[in-house]
Amino acid sequence: MEARVGETFRKRLIVFYIPLFLFLVALLFPFYWMLITSVKPDFELYNARNAPFFVWHPTLSHWVQLFQNTLFTRWAWNTLCIATASTAISLFAGVLAGYALSRLTFPGSTSFGIIIFITYLVPPTLLFIPLASVIAELHLLDSPWALILTYPTFLVPFSAWLLMGYFKTIPRELEECARIDGATRLQAMTKIVLPLGMPGILSAGIFSFTLSWNEFLYALVFISSPQQKTIPVGVVSELMKGDVFYWGALMAGALFGSIPIAFVYSFFVEHYVSGMTGAVKG
Amino acid sequence: MKASPQSAVTTPRSSGTLTSVEAPARQRSSWLENEAVLGYVLMTPALLLIVVFIAYPFSLGVWLSLTDKLVSRPAHFIGLRNFTHLFESQIFWGTVWNTIFFTFSATVLKAVLGMWLAVLLNRKIHFMRFIRATILLPFIVPTVLSGLAWVWMFDATFSVFNWGLRWLWQTTEWLLNADFGYFRGPRWLGDPAWAMFSIIMVNTWRGIPFFAISFLAGLQTVPTELYDAGDIDGATGWQKFWHITVPLIKPIAVVVIVFSFVVTFADFQVVYVLTRGGPHNSTHLLATFAYQLGMASGNLGEGAAVALFMFPFLALVILWQLLYLRKEDSQ
Amino acid sequence: MPQRVPQQAGGNPAGGLTRRAFLSTSMALAAAAGAEFVGGKAPALAQTRTLHVLEWSSFVPAADVIRDQQAAEFGKQAGVKVTIEHINANDLLARATAAIEGRKGPDILQLQNNSPHLYAGGLEDHNQLIAELGGDKFYPFIIDAVTVDGIARGVPYFFGGGANTYRKDIFQKVGIDKLPDTWEEHLAAGKKLKKFGMPIGQTLGHTFGDAPGFAYPVLWSFGGMEVDEKGKVAINSKETRAAVDFVKEFWFAACDEGGLAWDDTSNNRAFLAEAIACTLNGASIYFVARYTPEKTVPGMADKIGHFLMPRGPAGRFHTVGPSTNCITTYSENKDVAKHYIRYCHQKEVYEQFLVTNKGYVNGPLPEWQEHPMWEADPVVTIFRELPKYGRNTGYAGPYDRKSAEVRAKYIIVDLFAKAVQGESPQSAIAWAEQELKNVYERA
């Protein structure tokens, strides 16, 4: 443990350990709560008197209800497909655009760069009403394609931005050597720059994947059939209805809706973090 | 841009296999060798997406906001009447104020707390990598799902916070042998002020990890020699922070803060899940209000107008950031 | 053609309805239907048609079950795949808007109150169906709710309303000997209950049922109204002021002040958890206590009673809004939808639905008021009285799109919520007046 100059254990406790512990509790308690609630039986759950922090008779009935009585597995599949496809599309567009903007000079490149950056001025919450009619005109309502094609609108700018930063760090000489050897620009791009930029591409990919998984408004407005819903929309719309909100199943839905993304993320933590910091620095 | 005969040979040439490229292939794609052409071609997918799914809907939205479009009825041009109606509506101005207040408060809190956490995370202890990974969970997990956990934690009857507070209350009563009366606990989502507090809290909770990790990256670029020099000069922790850390972090901080400001300003999920804009419109943000007007009341023209109202604010902020960065670049 | 229908698993919740009668009618219908739209051939399953219905998720869980069962039965008979999607009623309008504007989505939207007025341009002409299924016998206020410019945009399916659900034992304990009949009596009773620690629970939040169910009747019972007969905004009156002053006093003296954030389920939960002793609600609280007693404290069902909305100087009122099945214009299964609606209104089929709800819903035709079910459980008999006190939102103007918009914006609910929040009555009323003008006097 690295000691700071003149720091006693007591000081370390006050200045470091306790605050860190408090942060951890604050940031992670809701997940603990999700887990606890999803295994608490109804009679414990709706008893306002007993201590809520523990479960005395854990039950898996809420989990069972989630997987058997709702279309949760279908939603999970939908969300997975949509997130993967939109990530693929946004990486494709983002890599190409990132490369073009960082390695090539052509008239209008600065303007294009600014345009891509400016799309943040038009967030989904601004666009969703007219965009719904565009989607309707394209006959894509209630189809996963409505989301697969629209998610890249907020994924591509970030991916391009991030990748621009990465590509800038790759020495031009590598490409130039390749082209002297007879490679076309495209080949130089695909065989040299892209492989070297793979960490950046992975970062952009994982960031895009988590953002797609998190999207809600477009999915809420463009998708209506229960079979086509994504996890966030499905859990919120199908488990909060009628007289009683099935809190046990709701929390189970929240938990299982979060697990896949946390799982994927755990493999790519370093990439995610470096992606975030790279974007911010770049 | 053309390769010079003395290209640096210090880097290994990984292009050996490419010498076998046939001449005809090169001629076939020679038009792609043109930098400008290649540039445009590569930009096409991104630009296509932007034009079809952002630019076109945006102009459609502008037109819609100038019509009296109601669901299932044809639209008629009415000029700025939607806007004048909105400007006369107390709910609208309340929503504008809510959005500004919410965004400003949440951003400040996230920045301060995020910075504090970043400083904490900047130490090397066992498990720090694991800790850094886990604290990002609030940011990774879908907002509506973690939001649902918060709704349950804030529930009027079953709130775990109120339970805890009540326990503290009763324990204190017991310790002091006093009777303070029955403790109900804040109405987290029922009282307009508390509801605003609650949505700010949830948004902050969600955003702290993003700020923390970004600031951490910045902190790690600060050379430790500067801190050592500060120690030699007898600087306190606070002084070191203000005079060394902050100035060097500023560029990153600006980018992170502006980005977060824009995203928070357009936030929808937190309010939708927690309060739907209630109690009586006191937590409506422009995004949720647009949704309610457009989708729930069927008043699509007005809804589009409210959504569009976000634009000038965001434009100002982003413009400021662009200028700030230009200035920094040129220094 | 006699199709072997597999036996339905589980008990018969309707009680008293024989499976044979049920099936024979449906099969006859199906045979006719099948013949009609498969072109005279046997009800072949050659091409599976589909039908997507969107409706609320009932506060009586058994009602959702029976709706799904009946839909499956119809589907089996007619060779159609019927999907009923149950969602939170607060989300119905947003889904309807998306579907109608995008011209894609459910074939039948089950809309509430006079929402058909909002979506008139996207809903079919149902005049013929109405004529077939009862015509003039439908309650007039129900027909008003769905008819726009002379054309019915849906077929009313049921209607419901709320009454005050109360704890008989708690009322006795705090000394309320006579059930409150006027607002003053209700206030006095509430004061006793609040002192005891189990106040009246009322929501003033943005939720579709219990909040307007309180706000509008209070306003009307003091003589207030949103617009006058000529359609001019008339909210700013001394009667409205009287209502607002009363509610302000009533809220602090008698109610659980957390109610500002409650949705339609919160008061149910609070009552069943014994946090409140009286609340305005449909019969769902009683239903849950009686038929799923594990969700509440033991013996709750026997302690529950109901009484009507208190009377004010101008009378006693309830909001009674119908739920209406509306076929959308973009639907590609309109013929199937029509058959389905006819099926739902078949005497035996509707009876099963009505009885399953055990008093939570009323039938759209007066004849359903005579059904023996109403006598079977005296606790819910009072819900039969609601149509007598029904009044449409938008009074004294027509039950039209503007009143639907006002209701969707919760303007009248917010009028009281603001006053209770500390805003002065004049300011709250002035605000409501401005918001109403925005809707009614939009050029």
Side-chain angles (χ1 to χ4, degrees):
Chain A
M1 155 82 211
E2 146 218 337
R4 295 286 170 81
V5 172
E7 198 173 63
T8 63
F9 176 75
R10 204 181 74 114
K11 180 165 181 229
R12 217 159 51 224
L13 189 68
I14 297 176
V15 168
F16 174 67
Y17 283 113
I18 292 185
L20 186 64
F21 177 72
L22 290 175
F23 265 111
L24 278 172
V25 167
L27 290 174
L28 299 178
F29 179 74
F31 299 108
Y32 172 73
W33 198 242
M34 253 191 233
L35 178 64
I36 285 274
T37 309
S38 72
V39 296
K40 232 189 236 187
D42 276 345
F43 62 86
E44 274 185 54
L45 209 49
Y46 296 117
N47 181 342
R49 285 171 247 282
N50 61 7
F53 294 102
F54 310 102
V55 191
W56 306 111
H57 303 101
T59 169
L60 289 181
S61 63
H62 300 307
W63 293 16
V64 168
Q65 190 194 349
L66 180 75
F67 286 103
Q68 281 191 346
N69 298 0
T70 68
L71 292 166
F72 188 81
T73 32
R74 180 66 204 252
W75 300 333
W77 176 249
N78 290 340
T79 317
L80 184 67
C81 291
I82 291 173
T84 311
S86 46
T87 301
I89 292 183
S90 63
L91 278 182
F92 177 70
V95 163
L96 264 46
Y99 178 84
L101 290 173
S102 63
R103 308 291 276 200
L104 304 174
T105 36
F106 52 97
S109 62
T110 0
S111 316
F112 284 159
I114 293 185
I115 287 179
I116 292 200
F117 180 62
I118 292 268
T119 50
Y120 274 112
L121 271 182
V122 198
T125 43
L126 203 163
L127 280 177
F128 71 97
I129 292 178
L131 188 54
S133 56
V134 172
I135 297 289
E137 272 175 57
L138 293 171
H139 298 288
L140 290 177
L141 267 187
D142 212 24
S143 143
W145 286 102
L147 303 181
I148 295 174
L149 293 178
T150 51
Y151 282 6
T153 57
F154 54 87
L155 301 174
V156 164
F158 181 81
S159 304
W161 197 12
L162 179 69
L163 289 166
M164 272 168 68
Y166 265 93
F167 289 154
K168 280 203 174 107
T169 66
I170 299 174
R172 284 188 189 281
E173 292 80 27
L174 290 176
E175 272 185 283
E176 289 168 10
C177 288
R179 293 184 64 228
I180 289 175
D181 281 350
T184 64
R185 283 190 187 273
L186 268 181
Q187 285 169 327
M189 178 179 87
T190 52
K191 294 204 198 299
I192 312 243
V193 179
L194 292 198
L196 288 175
M198 199 46 84
I201 295 178
L202 270 175
S203 304
I206 184 64
F207 212 88
S208 303
F209 190 81
T210 52
L211 278 179
S212 304
W213 199 272
N214 189 8
E215 205 283 329
F216 183 71
L217 184 56
Y218 283 172
L220 182 68
V221 176
F222 301 161
I223 304 284
S224 50
S225 314
Q227 295 85 353
Q228 301 290 355
K229 289 183 183 173
T230 59
I231 287 181
V233 175
V235 169
V236 168
S237 65
E238 304 254 331
L239 289 170
M240 294 175 84
K241 54 185 183 180
D243 201 343
V244 187
F245 291 177
Y246 300 99
W247 281 110
L250 252 173
M251 288 295 100
L255 191 69
F256 285 104
S258 315
I259 285 181
I261 193 67
F263 183 69
V264 169
Y265 157 76
S266 65
F267 285 109
F268 295 97
V269 180
E270 293 302 320
H271 285 107
Y272 190 86
V273 171
S274 66
M276 234 162 71
T277 61
V280 160
K281 280 196 253 193
Chain B
M1 255 311 292
K2 293 283 179 275
S4 67
Q6 288 127 341
S7 37
V9 284
T10 50
T11 47
R13 306 231 243 116
S14 49
S15 50
T17 49
L18 292 171
T19 45
S20 52
V21 167
E22 312 120 38
R26 220 194 311 162
Q27 281 166 352
R28 235 185 288 131
S29 57
S30 65
W31 58 284
L32 281 176
E33 283 307 296
N34 183 319
E35 206 174 342
V37 172
L38 183 64
Y40 291 128
V41 166
L42 291 181
M43 290 299 300
T44 310
L47 286 178
L48 198 66
L49 277 168
I50 290 179
V51 164
V52 175
F53 295 114
I54 296 190
Y56 176 59
F58 180 72
S59 31
L60 199 60
V62 172
W63 178 80
L64 203 59
S65 71
L66 301 173
T67 66
D68 66 348
K69 174 88 177 115
L70 294 167
V71 64
S72 85
R73 282 152 204 258
H76 307 108
F77 183 78
I78 54 168
L80 294 172
R81 197 137 46 90
N82 281 331
F83 290 97
T84 48
H85 268 145
L86 284 173
F87 291 170
E88 284 165 11
S89 161
Q90 221 182 23
I91 305 181
F92 175 72
W93 287 116
T95 305
V96 173
W97 167 247
N98 288 346
T99 315
I100 294 177
F101 180 75
F102 168 79
T103 310
F104 191 72
S105 314
T107 308
V108 165
L109 278 172
K110 283 186 273 193
V112 168
L113 291 171
M115 180 53 111
W116 188 8
L117 183 57
V119 166
L120 292 172
L121 291 174
N122 201 17
R123 299 205 186 202
K124 293 180 196 41
I125 59 168
H126 294 311
F127 301 119
M128 192 46 97
R129 272 187 58 173
F130 175 73
I131 292 179
R132 284 186 200 158
T134 18
I135 58 130
L136 262 171
L137 268 179
F139 191 70
I140 297 292
V141 161
T143 315
V144 290
L145 296 182
S146 52
L148 281 174
W150 281 96
V151 173
W152 183 230
M153 295 196 299
F154 284 143
D155 185 78
T157 318
F158 298 102
S159 164
V160 60
F161 296 133
N162 287 351
W163 188 92
L165 289 170
R166 195 174 305 131
W167 180 85
L168 277 174
W169 182 269
Q170 288 166 346
T171 314
T172 321
E173 279 184 328
W174 174 76
L175 283 175
L176 299 178
N177 220 336
D179 181 8
F180 301 140
Y182 183 69
F183 177 80
R184 195 58 205 277
R187 295 175 235 294
W188 299 101
L189 301 176
D191 176 87
W194 278 112
M196 178 54 85
F197 176 79
S198 301
I199 59 170
I200 291 177
M201 180 155 72
V202 175
N203 183 281
T204 305
W205 171 84
R206 200 187 164 262
I208 287 179
F210 176 70
F211 275 77
I213 293 292
S214 302
F215 283 162
L216 181 64
L219 283 177
Q220 289 174 334
T221 63
V222 178
T224 41
E225 300 84 45
L226 291 176
Y227 289 124
D228 295 337
D231 284 332
I232 293 174
D233 287 344
T236 65
W238 266 115
Q239 285 172 322
K240 279 190 283 186
F241 181 72
W242 275 114
H243 296 280
I244 302 176
T245 318
V246 171
L248 288 173
I249 291 254
K250 241 206 305 189
I252 289 190
V254 165
V255 173
V256 172
I257 290 177
V258 168
F259 179 73
S260 167
F261 185 92
V262 167
V263 173
T264 309
F265 196 85
D267 195 18
F268 177 84
Q269 297 186 34
V270 170
V271 173
Y272 183 80
V273 147
L274 263 83
T275 62
R276 295 275 178 114
H280 66 93
N281 303 318
S282 57
T283 55
H284 254 318
L285 304 181
L286 287 171
T288 50
F289 189 49
Y291 179 83
Q292 182 180 303
L293 271 183
M295 304 304 290
S297 314
N299 199 330
L300 296 161
E302 247 179 36
V306 170
L308 222 50
F309 206 70
M310 282 190 246
F311 188 73
F313 290 95
L314 298 179
L316 274 172
V317 168
I318 291 203
L319 204 64
W320 178 84
Q321 185 192 7
L322 273 176
L323 293 172
Y324 179 86
L325 288 176
R326 282 264 170 87
K327 194 174 65 141
E328 290 292 307
D329 269 347
S330 59
Q331 274 173 358
Chain C
M1 7 259 98
Q3 227 179 343
R4 265 229 77 218
V5 177
Q7 291 296 306
Q8 279 179 324
N12 192 339
L17 183 67
T18 67
R19 203 182 299 285
R20 185 176 294 257
F22 177 66
L23 286 179
S24 63
T25 342
S26 346
M27 281 167 67
L29 171 80
E36 194 182 277
F37 64 73
V38 187
K41 294 202 284 276
L45 305 165
Q47 184 201 359
T48 318
R49 302 285 299 278
T50 59
L51 190 71
H52 181 188
V53 180
L54 182 71
E55 63 186 51
W56 76 323
S57 177
S58 175
F59 287 177
V60 169
D64 281 353
V65 173
I66 204 71
R67 285 281 296 157
D68 291 339
Q69 272 178 4
Q70 290 185 343
E73 262 311 302
F74 170 78
K76 242 177 286 195
Q77 304 303 334
V80 176
K81 185 166 180 322
V82 184
T83 320
I84 299 193
E85 193 190 340
H86 299 276
I87 63 172
N88 189 325
N90 279 321
D91 296 332
L92 270 173
L93 289 180
R95 284 288 302 275
T97 305
I100 300 256
E101 272 307 303
R103 306 192 56 75
K104 192 168 200 297
D107 303 292
I108 295 182
L109 297 169
Q110 196 179 94
L111 298 172
Q112 300 187 323
N113 305 306
N114 62 342
S115 307
H117 282 257
L118 279 175
Y119 303 103
L123 302 172
E124 282 289 294
D125 176 339
H126 293 74
N127 281 348
Q128 200 220 344
L129 263 180
I130 297 250
E132 268 181 50
L133 298 172
D136 291 338
K137 291 197 280 184
F138 279 100
Y139 280 107
F141 72 86
I142 286 191
I143 294 296
D144 281 344
V146 309
T147 307
V148 184
D149 296 331
I151 301 182
R153 295 292 174 185
V155 179
Y157 186 44
F158 66 85
F159 69 95
N164 283 298
T165 311
Y166 76 104
R167 285 283 296 270
K168 299 193 275 212
D169 57 326
I170 304 289
F171 269 43
Q172 227 172 21
K173 199 182 283 200
V174 301
I176 303 170
D177 315 301
K178 176 176 148 332
L179 284 178
D181 186 50
T182 64
W183 283 114
E184 282 67 32
E185 287 168 21
H186 200 50
L187 175 64
K191 283 183 181 158
K192 291 184 183 158
L193 292 170
K194 189 158 183 176
K195 191 136 168 279
F196 178 70
M198 284 177 71
I200 297 179
Q202 175 59 49
T203 171
L204 281 178
H206 282 198
T207 190
F208 75 98
D210 295 337
F214 173 78
Y216 284 93
V218 167
L219 180 71
W220 293 329
S221 62
F222 278 85
M225 59 178 78
E226 297 158 81
V227 290
D228 61 20
E229 303 79 18
K230 301 187 204 62
K232 190 158 173 303
V233 173
I235 191 89
N236 200 342
S237 64
K238 59 176 177 7
E239 289 88 5
T240 307
R241 178 63 195 264
V244 173
D245 286 337
F246 173 79
V247 171
K248 217 171 155 144
E249 189 192 350
F250 179 68
W251 186 262
F252 292 108
C255 295
D256 182 337
E257 290 158 49
L260 270 173
W262 286 3
D263 63 5
D264 276 279
T265 72
S266 313
N267 63 335
N268 294 53
R269 268 178 289 152
F271 191 96
L272 294 169
E274 302 198 289
I276 55 177
C278 178
T279 185
L280 181 68
N281 206 64
S284 51
I285 295 181
Y286 174 68
F287 193 97
V288 168
R290 176 67 71 196
Y291 299 105
T292 45
E294 67 276 5
K295 290 210 154 106
T296 179
V297 300
M300 173 68 87
D302 296 319
K303 302 182 191 156
I304 295 181
H306 298 101
F307 61 91
L308 292 173
M309 285 289 279
R311 200 164 31 88
R316 187 196 316 276
F317 298 99
H318 282 262
T319 50
V320 278
S323 280
T324 310
N325 287 317
C326 311
I327 305 177
T328 53
T329 48
Y330 60 74
S331 165
E332 285 162 23
N333 303 297
K334 291 180 201 162
D335 48 345
V336 181
K338 285 186 184 148
H339 286 303
Y340 175 68
I341 293 181
R342 286 191 189 105
Y343 171 82
C344 292
H345 282 261
Q346 286 275 299
K347 196 140 190 308
E348 288 81 4
V349 179
Y350 195 84
E351 182 176 13
Q352 192 187 29
F353 173 73
L354 183 75
V355 170
T356 307
N357 273 286
K358 293 216 175 342
Y360 190 57
V361 307
N362 291 280
L365 301 160
E367 66 200 40
W368 291 112
Q369 305 293 67
E370 317 299 324
H371 196 279
M373 167 204 79
W374 290 108
E375 311 289 326
D377 189 342
V379 177
V380 299
T381 310
I382 200 160
F383 285 95
R384 189 168 54 168
E385 312 297 307
L386 299 185
K388 292 199 195 107
Y389 306 101
R391 182 181 262 190
N392 60 289
T393 55
Y395 183 86
Y399 203 4
D400 68 354
R401 191 199 70 75
K402 294 185 178 163
S403 74
E405 187 175 338
V406 167
R407 186 179 178 138
K409 285 178 163 168
Y410 294 101
I411 296 176
I412 302 299
V413 173
D414 283 346
L415 167 64
F416 294 105
K418 279 168 162 304
V420 149
Q421 269 295 292
E423 202 169 319
S424 79
Q426 299 95 307
S427 149
I429 296 178
W431 169 85
E433 187 178 22
Q434 180 57 49
E435 294 295 330
L436 280 168
K437 283 191 171 145
N438 269 351
V439 175
Y440 275 94
E441 286 159 26
R442 181 195 309 278

